Amino acid sequence: SRQRYVLGDTAMQKMAQSHVFLSGVGGLGVEIGKLGSALTVHDTKQCTKWDLGINFFIHEDDITSQRNRAEATLHRIAELNPYVHVAASAVPLDETTDLSFLKQYQCVVLTEVSLLLQKKVNDFCHAQQPPIKFISADVYGICSRLFCDFGDEFEVLDTTGEEPKEIFISNITQSNPGIVTCLENHPHRLETGQFLTFREVNGMSCLNGSTHQITVVSPYSFSIGNTSDMEPYLHGGIAVQVKTPKTFYFERLEKQITNPLCLVADFSKPQAPLQIHVAMLALNHFEENFGRRPNIGCLQDAEEMLKIAMSISETLENKPQVNGDVVKWLSRTAQGFLAPLAAAVGGVASQEVLKAVTGKFSPLQQWLYTDMLDIVTPLEKMGSEEFLPRGDRYDALRACIGDSLCQKLHDLNVFLVGCGAIGCEMLKNFALLGVGTGQDKGLVTITDPDLIEKSNLNRQFLFRPHHIQKPKSYTAAEATLNINPYLKIDSYVNKVCPATENTYSDEFYTKQDVIVTALDNVEARRYIDSRCVANLRPLIDSGTMGTKGHTEVIVPHLTESYNSHRDPPEEEIPFCTLKSFPAAIEHTIQWARDKFESSFSHKPSLFNKFWQTYPSAEEVLQRIKSGESLEGCFHVIKTLSRRPRSWTQCVELARVKFEKYFSHKALQLLHSFPLDTRLKDGSLFWQSPKRPPFPVKFEFNDPLHYGFIVSAAKLFATVYCVPFTEKDLLEETIFKIISAVKVPEFRPSNKVVQTDETARKPDHIPVSSEDERNAIFQLEKSILSNEALENDLQMKPISFEKDDDSNGHIDFVTAASNLRAKMYNIEPADRFKTKRIAGKIIPAIATATAAVSGLVALELIKVVGGYPADAYKNCFLNLAIPIMVFTETAEVRRTEIRNGISFTIWDRWTIYGKEDFTLLDFINAVREKYGIEPTMVVQGVKMLYVPVMPGHIKRLKLTMQKLVKPSADKKYVDLTVSFAPETDGEEDLPGPPVRYYFVQEDN
């Protein structure tokens, strides 16, 4: 379901009907093979020990049994998705092969195939009608390439996959061109050339239903052509973006080799793609000339390849400059293989396969080149023996990064937080790199509190259907050991948050060499980042949303931290919009979600909490009669007195709620603000974005109305512990109950309706004296009727669960939201869209998670090697467009205090005290050690010393022990200090954290 939100149903259906041919099931091929469509995997090679370090689906018994690589990986690829057919082929594929067998496939993917054969297969695919989409991909040592050819013309219906934008209009001019202005503070975020269609425009009504190409004028306005002959604009109107098809044009491989069209990933090196293009062509020619790749670390072979590169450059149209470093390092490492680079490129290639077979998203045109010079350049001085094979599973990696760096990876202690999609991919990368496999050192620690759900299976590739409802961390650990049984791994099911600081203490963090986060919770990321900064530990963060992804490297003393920047806060829907003035389907869905939470979770929880505090109704009655005020008492008694005690009463309650929510609410608003109501400036009250509501008349035969009644009644029955049977759910049973319900008549109220968009929902609604008297009467009545017994004082709160279709939660939200949408004349949403919005589901696809995890693992190698700041790269990618942008990490900022004293976020001052150390001693110690005297000392949110506050001067004589009150096992406390400004009237200057030790440590 998470992938459906990325691709859409049409693309999913096309994907299900397609068949892909994949040749070469090495480290790159197996990454592409995870894509989840009908697949034939082709390979003629046998499994070797080398494969253990590059192919996560090849195991040691495959080598001893001398299995073909396609046959060895077949059933493991097939396990990923039981709904698609996967076949294996080991027939020869060379320059003499009859390629007519490829006509049965919609897409052909080649890896580990000679350039001559790539050209031949590409020519065959391009010539077919319709053309067979062709993709070739390779990873050689530190370089990779990806090439796409989808035929002369390739039409895409949706180039971005983004939801069409809806813009609320505040004005349209009568002019040539007509200028459309959006509502204040709502930028349109459109681009020139896009198309919009109009609806609900008052005055200039001839625009309604018409489509116009726009030109952007400003962030809040755009032009649409001549409107001078149209009627004057009055008010309202919505402009909706129209997706238009786009045709992409491709050239054959043969032609593209001489004049390549490349995607630039690193704008600081715009020439890099062409330089890698030349280097990899030189490698292909070297292999053709000598029947082998250059020997590992061989300078003579590197010189030969450089000569070939020089001559190739002259034959290309733009005669690109040859980069000697790229050619040399490609030659030195060409026999090797960087598994994380294959994960990154494999993720991108898989997305291109999906584009090829679905026509969704913009295809790559036509080359993507990447190099990992940042990883190997610092290894320049290493001898060639460092890179030579040792006969183990890490030889392919060793050929790229050397044995010393391999050993550092083996001895690494890494803490991985989150075992979801990125977490699973990271563990696979750890296993292939040998992270945490050292004999005496090295450990992978993982934690995730979640259980495996069915919706996880399409992208969390370590999990299978029989793992559902098992802990993610334990299952992921077990699956990782299948890839590399020598990995040492500890798994936990704890959240990482302030509540688990005893488990994940400072001592725990200082034992970790690096922390890797694979979370979608921003607050958890911020908390972990703060712990990494406090304990001077590197952190690599990443995340995805649909086809988008990012990676960020945080290194002590070199870079800013995650908390150094803040994303703009999510826009909250104003309370008055939710309660009375919805303008979009998102508003009605959130209203329905809030109704669910209030009726079936929050109120039942408060009800239970109240009766746990006051165990009997008689006691409560006695106390309120004596004038005592019991918090929440009125609402609890109201709930008790109206409690349904049978299925019939649950259905009746649902019917009454229908009338209240979808009829009486509309009538009340129209009573408070009739349709002709005008504001002080003379403008209409009911104009865009405010939409007047109209009462919905209940119709039993309307599926939407009936659906609300049934889903609401079932949920009421659950929270009030009322049993019901299949017979109770029969339509005739419901109809009989509904027909007998006496629906209360509407009585207008003079309550003030909130219209202020800045107003927040009130925490407490005041209870009148009449309500209190009524509560006493209702409770007395319940007690006399024996309806306030122990069982009556309990409810069963429901936790909203979006992924269990049998529980009716999404059914209720969908019905309630769409009824409210109908009441306000808002376009409804289907159940699938409602589930995404109500459940705050983050769309996800395996292609992006694989790419992101590969990029994280590449940065991990640099962190382990202790590389300089300019080696690290952050990345943002969007595989739909596609773009992949590498940027240097942000250099850590230095804050000046004064007199040359400064600090960064990574600095911490340290003061060692003793048992009788006073606050004054602490202040003096800071002054003597660091040359500046603190004027304020704070511990968390507790102010220990602020001179202007009453009584704080007296604290100077108190001991630090007495002020801080540490627990017996606490050795230190982290304090925040501030310093006096240089001139009066300015704010105090902040200082770095000061760690105060209560006693001098032995060391």
Side-chain angles (χ1 to χ4, degrees):
S1 66
R2 304 305 188 259
Q3 183 169 296
R4 278 179 70 196
Y5 288 119
V6 181
L7 294 177
D9 286 348
T10 303
M12 289 285 282
Q13 286 159 7
K14 287 181 180 177
M15 184 178 154
Q17 292 158 9
S18 65
H19 201 169
V20 177
F21 179 82
L22 168 64
S23 181
V25 199
L28 179 55
V30 74
E31 288 284 357
I32 299 170
K34 293 192 315 216
L35 60 87
S37 68
L39 185 69
T40 296
V41 288
H42 167 267
D43 205 300
T44 56
K45 296 176 183 173
Q46 278 190 345
C47 300
T48 65
K49 195 146 196 172
W50 189 274
D51 288 308
L52 294 176
I54 67 173
N55 187 321
F56 46 86
F57 278 157
I58 288 178
H59 301 161
E60 290 184 354
D61 62 316
D62 297 318
I63 298 157
T64 53
S65 305
Q66 297 186 323
R67 288 195 185 103
N68 168 276
R69 291 198 304 184
E71 290 167 0
T73 56
L74 172 68
H75 71 279
R76 290 163 192 148
I77 292 173
E79 273 184 344
L80 293 173
N81 191 341
Y83 300 107
V84 298
H85 177 69
V86 183
S89 169
V91 298
L93 180 63
D94 54 35
E95 283 77 4
T96 63
T97 304
D98 177 5
L99 298 178
S100 59
F101 76 96
L102 292 175
K103 289 182 179 179
Q104 63 185 298
Y105 301 102
Q106 285 73 49
C107 182
V108 169
V109 186
L110 301 184
T111 70
E112 302 185 19
V113 169
S114 72
L115 190 59
L116 284 172
L117 185 53
Q118 287 182 41
K119 290 178 186 176
K120 179 183 176 181
V121 174
N122 174 245
D123 286 343
F124 176 84
C125 292
H126 195 102
Q128 303 308 304
Q129 289 300 328
I132 300 167
K133 314 305 180 290
F134 174 87
I135 296 171
S136 66
D138 285 299
V139 170
Y140 294 117
I142 62 152
C143 291
S144 70
R145 88 177 150 209
L146 174 62
F147 173 78
C148 295
D149 172 15
F150 294 172
D152 287 331
E153 295 183 0
F154 180 72
E155 187 178 71
V156 173
L157 298 176
D158 182 355
T159 57
T160 65
E162 301 290 340
E163 287 272 321
K165 296 181 178 73
E166 286 200 359
I167 296 102
F168 287 94
I169 297 166
S170 67
N171 188 49
I172 307 173
T173 62
Q174 263 183 310
S175 56
N176 186 13
I179 305 296
V180 181
T181 307
C182 316
L183 283 181
E184 195 178 358
N185 299 325
H186 289 79
H188 53 69
R189 296 189 176 90
L190 296 168
E191 295 172 17
T192 294
Q194 291 179 329
F195 289 85
L196 298 178
T197 185
F198 291 82
R199 69 168 195 259
E200 300 178 32
V201 177
N202 288 277
M204 208 174 271
S205 55
C206 59
L207 279 178
N208 291 328
S210 64
T211 301
H212 297 262
Q213 191 170 20
I214 66 127
T215 302
V216 171
V217 176
S218 78
Y220 297 93
S221 62
F222 52 87
S223 65
I224 56 169
N226 193 352
T227 60
S228 53
D229 294 334
M230 297 182 187
E231 298 167 42
Y233 171 82
L234 293 177
H235 64 84
I238 299 171
V240 183
Q241 184 187 354
V242 178
K243 297 267 185 175
T244 52
K246 182 176 178 179
T247 300
F248 292 83
Y249 303 94
F250 289 86
E251 293 177 341
R252 298 176 189 233
L253 178 60
E254 183 78 62
K255 189 171 182 185
Q256 272 287 303
I257 282 174
T258 59
N259 188 21
L261 179 61
C262 301
L263 180 73
V264 176
D266 187 341
F267 292 107
S268 68
K269 301 188 294 184
Q271 296 304 313
L274 284 177
Q275 292 169 353
I276 306 167
H277 179 72
V278 173
M280 293 191 84
L281 287 177
L283 175 63
N284 293 131
H285 281 268
F286 184 102
E287 206 165 355
E288 287 170 24
N289 295 345
F290 298 98
R292 64 172 176 85
R293 290 186 207 162
N295 288 323
I296 295 170
C298 177
L299 295 177
Q300 191 176 346
D301 284 354
E303 286 299 322
E304 182 62 34
M305 220 173 95
L306 188 58
K307 288 178 191 171
I308 297 170
M310 292 290 191
S311 62
I312 287 173
S313 175
E314 290 301 312
T315 67
L316 303 185
E317 284 194 24
N318 293 323
K319 294 184 173 47
Q321 182 185 0
V322 174
N323 185 321
D325 286 339
V326 172
V327 174
K328 176 186 69 179
W329 277 108
L330 176 58
S331 174
R332 287 181 64 171
T333 63
Q335 290 195 24
F337 191 89
L338 273 175
L341 181 56
V345 177
V348 180
S350 298
Q351 189 70 55
E352 294 307 309
V353 174
L354 294 180
K355 294 173 188 179
V357 299
T358 64
K360 179 88 179 248
F361 305 134
S362 302
L364 170 68
Q365 289 198 291
Q366 282 186 257
W367 301 86
L368 173 65
Y369 281 105
T370 47
D371 71 70
M372 287 298 122
L373 270 183
D374 289 334
I375 286 181
V376 292
T377 302
L379 311 178
E380 181 76 49
K381 293 177 182 174
M382 282 187 178
S384 59
E385 68 282 353
E386 271 275 334
F387 300 86
L388 295 175
R390 306 281 202 275
D392 62 18
R393 64 168 64 217
Y394 306 112
D395 278 346
L397 175 65
R398 189 176 286 112
C400 295
I401 66 170
D403 189 61
S404 298
L405 205 40
C406 284
Q407 290 304 321
K408 286 182 179 178
L409 286 166
H410 300 340
D411 293 343
L412 193 69
N413 289 332
V414 61
F415 181 34
L416 173 66
V417 187
C419 298
I422 295 175
C424 285
E425 295 281 348
M426 281 312 310
L427 286 169
K428 172 257 298 179
N429 292 330
F430 291 167
L432 295 176
L433 293 173
V435 171
T437 57
Q439 286 190 335
D440 303 316
K441 298 178 188 173
L443 177 68
V444 176
T445 304
I446 62 175
T447 189
D448 195 308
D450 292 343
L451 301 179
I452 296 162
E453 305 286 348
K454 189 173 185 179
S455 63
N456 300 150
L457 300 182
N458 86 303
R459 67 201 181 284
Q460 300 180 14
F461 90 106
L462 295 179
F463 307 142
R464 302 291 177 268
H466 61 272
H467 292 140
I468 289 172
Q469 288 305 299
K470 290 184 178 178
K472 284 186 178 180
S473 59
Y474 299 158
T475 310
E478 189 181 336
T480 307
L481 291 174
N482 287 332
I483 301 172
N484 188 341
Y486 303 101
L487 202 78
K488 288 175 285 181
I489 187 164
D490 281 351
S491 48
Y492 298 92
V493 291
N494 305 316
K495 276 186 177 178
V496 182
C497 60
T500 57
E501 273 190 20
N502 288 337
T503 306
Y504 305 118
S505 60
D506 287 337
E507 188 180 359
F508 170 83
Y509 276 90
T510 54
K511 287 179 181 175
Q512 308 307 316
D513 298 306
V514 64
I515 288 87
V516 177
T517 47
L519 300 163
D520 55 18
N521 184 314
V522 172
E523 288 312 309
R525 281 172 164 159
R526 293 203 181 285
Y527 170 73
I528 293 163
D529 175 74
S530 68
R531 299 301 303 280
C532 289
V533 171
N535 292 285
L536 303 179
R537 285 294 169 267
L539 168 69
I540 310 179
D541 176 63
S542 61
T544 66
M545 186 171 73
T547 57
K548 301 184 186 84
H550 81 273
T551 64
E552 183 176 5
V553 194
I554 294 147
V555 184
H557 303 295
L558 297 182
T559 72
E560 291 285 72
S561 76
Y562 185 82
N563 282 306
S564 300
H565 52 82
R566 290 269 169 180
D567 293 331
E570 273 189 44
E571 270 190 45
E572 277 191 13
I573 303 170
F575 171 62
C576 68
T577 301
L578 281 179
K579 188 168 175 59
S580 305
F581 308 113
I585 194 65
E586 288 79 7
H587 302 160
T588 69
I589 291 172
Q590 186 60 52
W591 174 87
R593 178 74 177 79
D594 290 348
K595 274 282 172 270
F596 180 99
E597 203 63 32
S598 168
S599 302
F600 310 123
S601 179
H602 184 62
K603 284 179 182 175
S605 297
L606 291 179
F607 186 89
N608 289 348
K609 187 179 177 183
F610 182 88
W611 292 115
Q612 284 159 7
T613 309
Y614 310 104
S616 79
E618 288 77 10
E619 181 192 332
V620 168
L621 181 63
Q622 189 179 348
R623 291 173 77 159
I624 57 175
K625 273 186 170 179
S626 66
E628 197 172 337
S629 178
L630 308 181
E631 190 180 348
C633 167
F634 168 69
H635 298 291
V636 164
I637 293 171
K638 186 177 166 186
T639 302
L640 178 66
S641 66
R642 297 179 180 182
R643 180 178 188 130
R645 296 165 190 282
S646 66
W647 172 248
T648 296
Q649 290 179 344
C650 290
V651 175
E652 289 171 349
L653 179 57
R655 175 64 186 90
V656 169
K657 292 291 184 188
F658 181 102
E659 203 68 17
K660 177 185 174 183
Y661 296 157
F662 311 119
S663 177
H664 291 184
K665 174 69 179 178
L667 293 168
Q668 178 60 46
L669 273 170
L670 293 173
H671 169 77
S672 300
F673 305 104
L675 289 175
D676 56 359
T677 302
R678 291 189 179 269
L679 300 171
K680 287 178 183 176
D681 64 2
S683 61
L684 282 168
F685 177 85
W686 292 110
Q687 63 169 304
S688 182
K690 286 190 178 73
R691 309 168 75 89
F694 296 97
V696 177
K697 189 173 186 299
F698 180 76
E699 298 283 350
F700 185 85
N701 293 326
D702 188 316
L704 185 59
H705 300 200
Y706 179 76
F708 174 83
I709 297 294
V710 173
S711 60
K714 284 165 73 175
L715 291 168
F716 282 130
T718 303
V719 295
Y720 288 111
C721 309
V722 173
F724 59 92
T725 64
E726 288 297 319
K727 187 181 176 185
D728 290 327
L729 295 171
L730 291 174
E731 200 171 303
E732 59 199 62
T733 310
I734 307 285
F735 181 75
K736 189 177 178 183
I737 298 169
I738 293 285
S739 301
V741 175
K742 288 182 180 176
V743 179
E745 283 186 20
F746 170 68
R747 289 181 182 162
S749 157
N750 291 320
K751 272 187 190 175
V752 175
V753 177
Q754 182 61 261
T755 59
D756 181 3
E757 288 198 3
T758 62
R760 303 187 73 83
K761 184 178 181 179
D763 293 330
H764 296 287
I765 298 169
V767 178
S768 67
S769 55
E770 186 186 340
D771 286 338
E772 286 175 356
R773 286 194 297 275
N774 198 24
I776 293 172
F777 170 73
Q778 287 175 339
L779 187 55
E780 282 179 331
K781 188 179 173 185
S782 295
I783 292 169
L784 289 171
S785 309
N786 287 327
E787 291 182 347
L789 304 176
E790 189 178 343
N791 283 347
D792 299 312
L793 306 184
Q794 292 176 3
M795 290 176 72
K796 184 181 176 184
I798 299 174
S799 294
F800 181 73
E801 172 48 60
K802 60 189 176 293
D803 282 320
D804 180 359
D805 287 343
S806 67
N807 63 20
H809 298 186
I810 294 295
D811 295 333
F812 171 84
V813 173
T814 304
S817 166
N818 283 341
L819 279 163
R820 189 166 173 84
K822 188 175 182 180
M823 182 169 109
Y824 283 93
N825 196 25
I826 294 169
E827 194 74 23
D830 62 16
R831 188 181 191 279
F832 189 60
K833 181 177 179 178
T834 303
K835 177 177 170 177
R836 174 177 65 79
I837 296 169
K840 296 184 175 168
I841 290 172
I842 298 173
I845 191 165
T847 53
T849 51
V852 159
S853 72
L855 295 170
V856 168
L858 291 166
E859 295 305 313
L860 177 75
I861 294 171
K862 300 175 193 176
V863 171
V864 172
Y867 283 25
D870 59 1
Y872 300 106
K873 292 285 188 287
N874 294 337
C875 182
F876 170 78
L877 56 84
N878 184 348
L879 301 185
I881 302 179
I883 60 165
M884 183 183 275
V885 181
F886 292 99
T887 58
E888 288 189 0
T889 54
E891 185 181 351
V892 65
R893 286 196 298 270
R894 183 162 287 280
T895 303
E896 297 287 334
I897 303 175
R898 65 165 178 260
N899 303 334
I901 300 169
S902 63
F903 68 94
T904 74
I905 55 166
W906 298 103
D907 290 323
R908 186 195 302 114
W909 293 354
T910 308
I911 298 294
Y912 291 97
K914 50 189 179 181
E915 213 168 307
D916 59 352
F917 214 69
T918 65
L919 176 59
L920 182 60
D921 291 332
F922 170 80
I923 290 170
N924 289 336
V926 173
R927 186 187 65 236
E928 286 167 21
K929 190 171 181 181
Y930 296 105
I932 191 162
E933 183 173 321
T935 52
M936 189 160 70
V937 183
V938 178
Q939 177 196 357
V941 294
K942 180 181 173 185
M943 293 185 176
L944 296 185
Y945 178 63
V946 182
V948 295
M949 292 186 72
H952 274 223
I953 296 296
K954 294 177 183 176
R955 291 185 177 185
L956 290 170
K957 296 177 182 177
L958 296 177
T959 65
M960 294 296 284
Q961 291 269 8
K962 191 165 186 178
L963 272 172
V964 173
K965 300 183 178 68
S967 55
D969 59 338
K970 194 81 172 168
K971 294 179 181 178
Y972 59 81
V973 63
D974 286 324
L975 304 172
T976 303
V977 295
S978 298
F979 306 98
E982 291 190 76
T983 54
D984 290 342
E986 292 184 1
E987 290 187 7
D988 281 4
L989 302 166
V994 179
R995 181 160 285 184
Y996 172 72
Y997 287 85
F998 295 104
V999 292
Q1000 179 76 40
E1001 296 213 318
D1002 296 336
N1003 187 350

